Amino acid sequence: MASEMQATLWRAFVNLLDSHLIEIFQDIVCPWCRIGKKNLTDALANFTSEPVEIHYRAYQLDPSTPIKGQASGLLFDFSKIEKMPNTLNAHQLIAIAPDEYKKDLVDDLFKAYFEEGKDIGHLDVLLDIAEQLGMNREQTSTLLSTKEGLEQVEDDLEFARQAGVTGVPFFVINRKYALTVAQSSDTFLQALQQISEEQPSEEA
């Protein structure tokens, strides 16, 4: 039943796109999400066939929450992490951020948590990160306090539940193809190239 629902949801969202669309379901406290995003970014640096648009979607590993190493060239210092924060506000911040800030914001949130051990569930920490990136602190605070962007986050979480997403990272390409876990950059590149080659015949 779940698989039938998932297939129905994918078919319902399929449309013809001028560029590739990749939707990333992730949680900021998930180390594999950070690795997966880095590997995807590396793959996109070598994929020049068509433009690619990235949409960041919310997913919470533990919605009820009041985890030193290196992988894919990324630093992880787990000794500095004292708690697993609730990431709802972090996802809300990503949702309201202007498009030109989203990629760097996601990177900075990952870095703040995994390298610096910051509590990215705390409003002041989120505002510090946003301000350092160039976002207006007072305006951002107002948007967060008035729950701007929260509906989008809740829609992402509900879609993930209905689509049967049970773990992250979860990558959706062109609202039709799905890749799970932190794939290597070579796997991402191979998948994008294959999808790019298949698209003309499907549209014909």
Side-chain angles (χ1 to χ4, degrees):
M1 184 65 180
S3 61
E4 292 177 4
M5 181 182 294
Q6 182 173 355
T8 300
L9 285 166
W10 287 156
R11 286 195 295 269
F13 282 106
V14 171
N15 56 7
L16 298 180
L17 302 168
D18 294 328
S19 62
H20 291 294
L21 171 65
I22 300 180
E23 296 170 276
I24 307 175
F25 287 83
Q26 61 179 7
D27 199 1
I28 302 301
V29 294
C30 165
W32 296 110
C33 294
R34 190 185 188 203
I35 294 170
K37 180 183 179 298
K38 171 64 163 54
N39 290 346
L40 175 61
T41 300
D42 291 345
L44 292 178
N46 295 304
F47 181 74
T48 57
S49 301
E50 291 94 13
V52 176
E53 182 178 353
I54 303 293
H55 285 187
Y56 296 98
R57 301 301 189 191
Y59 188 92
Q60 286 194 287
L61 288 170
D62 187 359
S64 65
T65 302
I67 106 193
K68 186 173 180 178
Q70 190 165 347
S72 293
L74 298 168
L75 177 64
F76 293 88
D77 191 347
F78 295 101
S79 66
K80 293 182 179 179
I81 299 174
E82 298 179 353
K83 61 181 293 187
M84 180 182 285
N86 188 300
T87 55
L88 188 66
N89 288 337
H91 287 302
Q92 184 186 355
L93 178 61
I94 296 170
I96 65 173
D99 288 343
E100 62 267 26
Y101 289 123
K102 287 186 188 294
K103 177 183 179 298
D104 290 337
L105 175 60
V106 173
D107 286 337
D108 289 351
L109 287 168
F110 277 133
K111 181 178 180 180
Y113 183 69
F114 285 113
E115 296 185 26
E116 301 166 4
K118 292 183 178 179
D119 180 1
I120 55 171
H122 195 283
L123 180 60
D124 285 338
V125 172
L126 295 176
L127 291 176
D128 287 344
I129 294 171
E131 186 176 27
Q132 290 168 8
L133 197 56
M135 297 172 62
N136 181 281
R137 186 185 187 94
E138 184 176 347
Q139 182 181 31
T140 302
S141 178
T142 300
L143 292 173
L144 290 174
S145 64
T146 57
K147 303 188 184 305
E148 187 74 23
L150 189 58
E151 183 176 358
Q152 178 184 327
V153 172
E154 292 172 342
D155 286 345
D156 288 346
L157 297 174
E158 179 60 24
F159 178 83
R161 280 191 290 268
Q162 293 193 32
V165 179
T166 57
V168 285
F170 190 88
F171 304 86
V172 182
I173 305 175
N174 294 347
R175 293 182 171 171
K176 185 176 181 180
Y177 306 93
L179 287 173
T180 60
V181 306
Q183 303 288 344
S184 68
S185 58
D186 288 341
T187 299
F188 278 123
L189 182 58
Q190 183 180 2
L192 287 168
Q193 290 172 337
Q194 183 175 342
I195 292 169
S196 180
E197 292 170 359
E198 292 176 354
Q199 201 167 29
S201 61
E202 291 180 357
E203 294 177 2

